[in-house]
Amino acid sequence: LSVLCRTREQAEAALTIPWLTEVVLDFLEVHGLQDAVRAVQASGRAAVVATPRVLKPNEEKLWRFYLKLGADALLVRSAGLMQTLQRLRPISTQGDGQGGISLANGRQLST
């Protein structure tokens, strides 16, 4: 079972639920996101980071930031970001535990 958290406080509260296996972090700002990912993973749960729905072309630093977080998965919500991430890192259709980008619908993007 997963829970979606929009703030650090919500993520901390979610970590008190013993049977929870995955926490989706959907923060409005990136401030505190790295710490939240670490806290979720340190608790033995999977940390999924939801990326913004819209990223501007000049926000390459954000793309790289999301990749460097070390989250167990990224929830990518835009085709443009998926194409950019595909160029930066291999895409897998299943969580492989090696930092690849997994597609939620199981479809492989063509290159």
Side-chain angles (χ1 to χ4, degrees):
L1 187 61
S2 301
V3 65
L4 184 136
C5 300
R6 296 189 185 271
T7 66
R8 175 66 191 252
E9 293 78 16
Q10 289 178 347
E12 289 171 357
L15 296 180
T16 66
I17 302 170
W19 44 263
L20 192 64
T21 59
E22 181 178 80
V23 178
V24 180
L25 303 168
D26 187 12
F27 290 12
L28 181 60
E29 300 290 331
V30 296
H31 179 72
L33 191 54
Q34 179 70 65
D35 291 338
V37 168
R38 287 183 186 142
V40 170
Q41 291 174 330
S43 75
R45 295 165 176 90
V48 178
V49 173
T51 62
R53 287 178 176 85
V54 176
L55 282 176
K56 298 172 187 163
N58 62 349
E59 293 180 325
E60 184 173 329
K61 289 181 183 180
L62 277 179
W63 304 333
R64 295 188 186 282
F65 172 79
Y66 285 111
L67 289 175
K68 289 181 181 180
L69 281 173
D72 297 293
L74 293 176
L75 174 59
V76 179
R77 300 184 282 190
S78 76
L81 180 57
M82 181 57 76
Q83 289 175 343
T84 299
L85 294 175
Q86 183 179 12
R87 281 186 242 121
L88 295 174
R89 185 170 285 184
I91 304 286
S92 70
T93 57
Q94 297 179 356
D96 57 8
Q98 297 183 17
I101 301 163
S102 299
L103 302 179
N105 65 7
R107 293 185 187 154
Q108 182 75 27
L109 292 181
S110 60
T111 55

